[in-house]
Amino acid sequence: LANAVERKTARGIVPGSGERASVYEALRALTANAAWGYHAEREFGSLRAGLAASFVLLDRSPLSVPMREIGAISVLATWVNGELLSCPDMHEISTRNERVPSVY
C-alpha cells in the first residue's frame, strides 16, 4: 500500500509522482480489484455476506493518516475465512472507542 501511494524507490527517489495512486485506489487494487483480476469477486475481495471474511484490523486508518505514515501502520489482528489467526493484544483492541471508517 505504501509503495503504491508514495511511489518511492528504496533510495528515496520518486520516479513518477504523477503515477501515484490515492490511498483509496491502492486499497481497491489490493482488495476488490485483485479479486476481480482472479475472477474471484464472488468469493473474496470485499466484506459482504457470503464472501470469505479475510481481513486485518489496523491501528490507524490508511485513509486518515499522512502519506508518509502509511508504512508505519501496525496490524492489530488478522482474520482468515472468519477465523481469528493473530491478535497480540486483545485487551488493546477491546478498549478502543474509535469508530472505524468504511473503506467502500
Side-chain angles (χ1 to χ4, degrees):
L1 181 65
N3 290 339
V5 174
E6 291 181 12
R7 190 80 174 139
K8 191 182 292 186
T9 68
R11 292 185 180 166
I13 299 168
V14 179
S17 61
E19 297 173 8
R20 286 179 170 153
S22 71
V23 175
Y24 179 81
E25 292 167 334
L27 286 169
R28 291 280 303 181
L30 294 169
T31 56
N33 293 352
W36 181 85
Y38 281 106
H39 304 285
E41 63 272 18
R42 292 185 181 151
E43 298 169 39
F44 60 87
S46 60
L47 293 175
R48 290 188 315 208
L51 300 186
S54 298
F55 57 95
V56 295
L57 177 64
L58 305 174
D59 70 340
R60 293 172 284 167
S61 168
L63 297 169
S64 64
V65 299
M67 180 176 55
R68 67 186 176 281
E69 292 181 22
I70 289 176
I73 294 174
S74 296
V75 175
L76 298 176
T78 304
W79 284 262
V80 176
N81 292 325
E83 181 181 339
L84 180 62
L85 289 187
S86 171
C87 185
D89 191 354
M90 182 56 88
H91 177 72
E92 179 184 344
I93 293 169
S94 65
T95 58
R96 287 179 175 257
N97 291 320
E98 301 171 24
R99 184 178 171 96
V100 178
S102 174
V103 174
Y104 302 108

